Amino acid sequence: LRERCEHASNMLRYTNYPISIIANYFCFSSQSHFTKKFQDVYGVTPKEYRKQNKYIESYQRQRQQQKNNIRIKRTTSVI
């Protein structure tokens, strides 16, 4: 069970697959069963886990912040 949840956590983090598809892929009987077992292992629901750990979105936010910082530096250096 723990191993299936670990693999599922990677899919939650690195893909945009719906939670129901991930639950089915790892042979949980239903999305609600997956949610309960995932929460037993991680202490949060799959939806909360994805929100907190989404790699792609956090990477994109970080890149956008870097771009904004570069723009601010360029603007201030011209003055």
Side-chain angles (χ1 to χ4, degrees):
L1 174 69
R2 179 171 287 282
E3 188 174 341
R4 286 192 293 163
C5 285
E6 286 176 14
H7 290 300
S9 73
N10 283 328
M11 288 189 75
L12 290 166
R13 191 170 186 193
Y14 296 109
T15 73
N16 290 320
Y17 289 123
I19 294 169
S20 59
I21 299 296
I22 294 170
N24 189 352
Y25 183 81
F26 290 105
C27 301
F28 287 93
S29 58
S30 66
Q31 182 176 340
S32 60
H33 180 247
F34 168 60
T35 298
K36 181 175 180 352
K37 296 303 177 185
F38 190 91
Q39 192 166 18
D40 289 346
V41 172
Y42 285 96
V44 293
T45 65
K47 183 178 180 179
E48 292 167 338
Y49 181 89
R50 175 175 267 170
K51 192 182 226 183
Q52 295 169 2
N53 295 286
K54 189 70 177 165
Y55 176 76
I56 295 168
E57 289 176 5
S58 65
Y59 176 76
Q60 288 173 339
R61 269 193 304 260
Q62 183 182 17
R63 295 285 296 159
Q64 187 60 44
Q65 287 175 341
Q66 289 172 346
K67 287 179 184 178
N68 289 340
N69 289 340
I70 290 170
R71 284 188 200 128
I72 291 170
K73 287 178 184 177
R74 287 181 183 164
T75 306
T76 56
S77 64
V78 172
I79 295 175

